[in-house]
Amino acid sequence: MPYWETLTDRSLWLQLGILVAVTLATYLLLSVMLRVVSRQLAQRDKGSQSRFFHFASELLRSTSQLLIFAFALMIGLKTVDLSPRWESAMSHGWFIALAFQIALWLDHAVKLWTDSLTRDGKARNPVTTTLLGIIMRLVIWTMMLLSILANLGVDITAMIASLGVGGIAIALAVQTLLSDMFASMSIGIDKPFEIGDFIVFGDVAGTIEHIGLKTTRIRSLSGEQIVIANAELLGQIVHNYKRMNTRRIVFTFGISYHTPVEKVREIGAQVKRIIEGTEKTQFDRAHFFAFDESRLTFEVVHIVQTASYNEYMDIQQEINLELMETLRNMEVEFAFPIRRVEFIGGDLPEVKVAGMPEQTTAANASPYGGAS
């Protein structure tokens, strides 16, 4: 009979009806509001340069329907009479649902941020982006779990301490791996080089092919792939030639000591004319530099306006060819090494050639008239 009385209790059915009606109405209202606001933000995003409206619209779209229903149910429960025990449970339920939803929003925000980094057309380290995303998500969900446990009355101090001790033990066990991982993250954040850059360090020169979690792979000029740990690579002095906007070139050439002074004076002006007439380079100076062995040395400086090594070599080749033609027209000779040997006193050594008959010459004749 008590069960029958419960089933026929009008006040109970009235409260249940109010609960269902308020829950459904609240659920529909919240869903429609989120959909309308999300659509309005998406329309504003089309005419805006900022990514804020796009992020806000995507976050609202990612709202969990189950958690919306949970919020609607708790709002419905507020309209009926409940025992103090259920009131306490509802207060915890509000916090748990809100914590889960905030964690979901933050998780989706991290995903949108990492996706935006890979779609903006810039070359980035994908491992660093993924690693940052994993760490940020781990922090978000860990903080959510600890906050829920603290709200439920669980003492989380000992748990945090044990996690800290366990983290230190794991870090000591894999410190080499962690150092390379953090080096990879440092490469991704600081960007000393990126995929496709041509770098030189030590006796290695090549193009970055892949920046991994532990190692970086470089394709050398001779063709082989060089693999180096990230932490070791960051410990090197790295020359990044792809980021070199200009190239200062210094070269010398020598002319003969027989060149007249007037022509020596004219050579500097001719070199200036040649470089200024060459594209993608800027003349700096050209001077008669030094009296070197066997030649008069000129030093020339010009600034190549390109980072490409092949283009630089084409420019230098054109300058060299023009310089050869100009000096030939001026009847100026390039210098070449000359050695003069002078014998002072004594006799020249006798030279014998195989197959030639021995002859007495004036050079080896005795000064007294006899054969030596």
Side-chain angles (χ1 to χ4, degrees):
M1 292 298 294
Y3 293 106
W4 177 254
E5 292 178 358
T6 302
L7 292 175
T8 58
D9 188 355
R10 291 184 177 182
S11 62
L12 174 63
W13 285 105
L14 180 61
Q15 289 188 358
L16 287 176
I18 294 174
L19 174 62
V20 172
V22 172
T23 300
L24 292 178
T26 305
Y27 174 77
L28 292 175
L29 180 62
L30 290 176
S31 299
V32 171
M33 287 179 58
L34 287 174
R35 192 177 297 112
V36 171
V37 174
S38 176
R39 190 177 304 154
Q40 291 294 326
L41 291 174
Q43 290 178 355
R44 289 193 177 187
D45 178 56
K46 294 179 180 179
S48 174
Q49 299 294 331
S50 173
R51 303 290 293 173
F52 170 76
F53 294 109
H54 172 73
F55 274 38
S57 174
E58 291 295 328
L59 287 181
L60 290 180
R61 289 179 183 177
S62 67
T63 304
S64 172
Q65 295 298 316
L66 180 62
L67 291 177
I68 293 177
F69 183 79
F71 277 113
L73 178 61
M74 284 183 285
I75 292 175
L77 289 173
K78 284 289 186 179
T79 62
V80 297
D81 295 331
L82 297 174
S83 64
R85 185 177 55 133
W86 282 100
E87 289 288 345
S88 176
M90 277 187 59
S91 64
H92 292 304
W94 279 103
F95 184 84
I96 293 172
L98 183 62
F100 263 105
Q101 186 56 66
I102 292 176
L104 286 173
W105 278 336
L106 293 176
D107 183 272
H108 194 68
V110 171
K111 183 178 182 298
L112 290 174
W113 176 68
T114 54
D115 289 344
S116 67
L117 292 180
T118 58
R119 294 178 182 176
D120 59 359
K122 297 181 180 179
R124 286 187 173 89
N125 183 0
V127 175
T128 303
T129 305
T130 304
L131 188 61
L132 283 174
I134 292 174
I135 292 175
M136 294 173 70
R137 289 178 177 180
L138 184 62
V139 170
I140 290 170
W141 289 104
T142 302
M143 294 297 295
M144 184 272 296
L145 178 61
L146 292 177
S147 63
I148 289 177
L149 291 177
N151 183 264
L152 293 175
V154 178
D155 185 10
I156 62 173
T157 305
M159 184 182 298
I160 294 176
S162 62
L163 288 175
V165 173
I168 293 174
I170 294 173
L172 291 175
V174 293
Q175 56 181 342
T176 303
L177 177 62
L178 288 178
S179 64
D180 289 328
M181 289 173 59
F182 282 108
S184 176
M185 187 182 301
S186 176
I187 292 171
I189 296 174
D190 193 44
K191 297 181 180 62
F193 48 81
E194 296 176 336
I195 295 174
D197 287 3
F198 183 85
I199 66 170
V200 175
F201 62 93
D203 58 350
V204 176
T207 303
I208 300 290
E209 280 192 340
H210 176 74
I211 302 174
L213 189 64
K214 179 173 173 56
T215 61
T216 294
R217 300 168 196 170
I218 303 168
R219 183 66 60 182
S220 71
L221 291 176
S222 54
E224 74 273 14
Q225 187 181 73
I226 298 173
V227 181
I228 183 172
N230 292 325
E232 184 179 351
L233 179 57
L234 284 186
Q236 306 275 345
I237 297 177
V238 179
H239 302 264
N240 192 335
Y241 283 90
K242 188 173 182 180
R243 298 182 184 177
M244 180 174 59
N245 296 323
T246 60
R247 189 187 298 263
R248 185 176 184 269
I249 306 301
V250 180
F251 71 94
T252 62
F253 66 92
I255 61 174
S256 172
Y257 268 97
H258 298 295
T259 307
V261 176
E262 294 77 11
K263 292 187 177 181
V264 174
R265 292 181 182 276
E266 187 181 351
I267 288 175
Q270 293 297 326
V271 172
K272 180 179 179 180
R273 176 189 62 80
I274 292 170
I275 294 178
E276 288 182 345
T278 305
E279 295 182 355
K280 295 186 178 181
T281 188
Q282 179 182 353
F283 175 79
D284 187 12
R285 62 181 179 84
H287 292 97
F288 172 33
F289 178 64
F291 296 93
D292 287 330
E293 184 179 0
S294 305
R295 70 177 193 168
L296 304 175
T297 302
F298 276 81
E299 184 178 74
V300 182
V301 179
H302 64 104
I303 311 299
V304 176
Q305 307 295 321
T306 177
S308 172
Y309 186 81
N310 290 338
E311 289 189 35
Y312 149 63
M313 289 303 299
D314 292 338
I315 292 170
Q316 189 62 47
Q317 176 179 259
E318 185 63 27
I319 292 173
N320 292 341
L321 293 174
E322 289 284 343
L323 183 59
M324 288 180 62
E325 184 177 0
T326 300
L327 293 183
R328 186 180 294 111
N329 294 335
M330 293 176 62
E331 298 182 352
V332 174
E333 296 180 353
F334 283 101
F336 56 89
I338 298 175
R339 285 295 178 91
R340 294 181 178 179
V341 181
E342 183 178 354
F343 289 93
I344 301 177
D347 297 329
L348 292 174
E350 182 179 357
V351 179
K352 294 183 178 181
V353 180
M356 296 293 292
E358 295 185 5
Q359 297 180 356
T360 302
T361 63
N364 58 12
S366 171
Y368 301 103
S372 60

